[in-house]
Amino acid sequence: MKKFVRSIVAFLCFAGLLAQHAAAAYPARPISVVVGFSAGGPADVVARTVAPALGTALGAAIVIENRPGADGTIAAAQVARAQADGYTLLLAPSTHAINASLYKKLPYDPIKGFASIALIGDSPNIIAVHPSVPARNLEEFVSYAKRGDSRLNYASTSSVTELATELLNRTAGIRMTKIPYKGAGQAMPALLSGEVHVMVSSMLTLMPQVSAGRVRPLAVTSLKRAEIAPNIPTVAEAGLPGYSASTWYGLFAPAGVPQDVVQRLADAMETVLKDKDVQARLAAQGLSMVPEVNSPATFGAYVQAEAQKWQSVVQAAGISAD
């Protein structure tokens, strides 16, 4: 019996040494980063911005794989099923935390099914109105929206921006009618013509129209002002403290990836996000760093908090993607 026990202990020690060696040798082949949105879209652009520097930091080739569809759930399901060895990763926006509330039958758990690696950046949206709306700032807008005769509507272009608008409704105690559009490209002519009064969308979408004076910006949806639009106040500054509805982007691995590999990836991403060229390119896309979310643990807690926040918004608004 003692000989059997010694054999088991020796085997476990040997297995542990093999696991340590595998982690130390990581990465030994190309790494696939799966993106759940089409090439050329914001998530894809973020992925291709950080990929070269990440490859350099890790000493491995990074291959971007686009698997668009269903708000990123197709890509997330693929990565959740992948071998937990660190060679298949997911780059996802904040829809990753939202989808658990929007879809009733996801084939994966957005929290338990993934190891959070790093938050890449946070991009605020802009709350903009047609010039016919009699409000110069968000405080005036909320007062106007509470009037019985205002009858405001808003353009819904994605789950992220729809929920950002519904969170504004809930936080400010107002109500606007949703007008659905397939995307920001279809909604923009409606906003410019006055067909819709309000639109919440990305900085890249709305800033050209703001600069041209065709729409009026009321606020950005982040907790701090955007670097590329420092003159636009935040929602919190306009009297609604705590409101935050930015689109963030993060890197994930399947659950069960060895902790040494997770830390190796996190350390590499820290190097990437300190690169001045990468910072400049992300800033040009409207992304800013979130210094307080600087480790796998803090990023994991951040994702979980986001999932809980948006669950309450989805339930209150009665929204479903099914």
Side-chain angles (χ1 to χ4, degrees), residues 293-315:
V293 183
N294 57 7
S295 69
T298 55
F299 181 39
Y302 180 83
V303 174
Q304 189 162 9
E306 283 282 286
Q308 292 171 350
K309 177 180 79 173
W310 291 117
Q311 181 181 38
S312 64
V313 176
V314 168
Q315 291 174 345

Side-chain angles (χ1 to χ4, degrees), residues 26-184:
Y26 175 87
R29 63 179 189 269
I31 298 169
S32 176
V33 174
V34 184
V35 179
F37 299 86
S38 300
D44 177 72
V45 173
V46 170
R48 295 180 191 279
T49 298
V50 301
L54 179 60
T56 299
L58 289 170
I62 305 294
V63 179
I64 305 297
E65 180 183 348
N66 296 94
R67 290 295 305 275
D71 276 335
T73 60
I74 294 174
Q78 174 185 330
V79 175
R81 294 191 302 265
Q83 188 171 349
D85 55 10
Y87 288 98
T88 304
L89 308 177
L90 175 71
L91 190 145
S94 45
T95 51
H96 184 73
I98 295 170
N99 285 337
S101 301
L102 288 178
Y103 293 86
K104 296 178 181 178
K105 295 182 179 180
L106 282 179
Y108 61 89
D109 187 316
I111 305 299
K112 296 180 181 178
F114 295 86
S116 299
I117 296 171
L119 177 64
I120 296 171
D122 178 284
S123 177
N125 296 301
I126 297 178
I127 302 172
V129 297
H130 185 266
S132 65
V133 176
R136 294 168 297 176
N137 53 55
L138 189 59
E139 184 177 7
E140 291 181 0
F141 174 80
V142 171
S143 296
Y144 175 70
K146 288 182 176 180
R147 286 172 38 181
D149 61 346
S150 63
R151 297 179 182 176
L152 290 167
N153 59 36
Y154 74 90
S156 171
T157 62
S158 69
S159 61
V160 173
T161 56
E162 179 179 349
L163 289 176
T165 312
E166 289 296 339
L167 182 60
L168 177 65
N169 279 338
R170 184 181 177 191
T171 306
I174 62 176
R175 174 51 52 192
M176 294 183 279
T177 301
K178 179 178 75 172
I179 308 295
Y181 294 90
K182 291 183 178 180

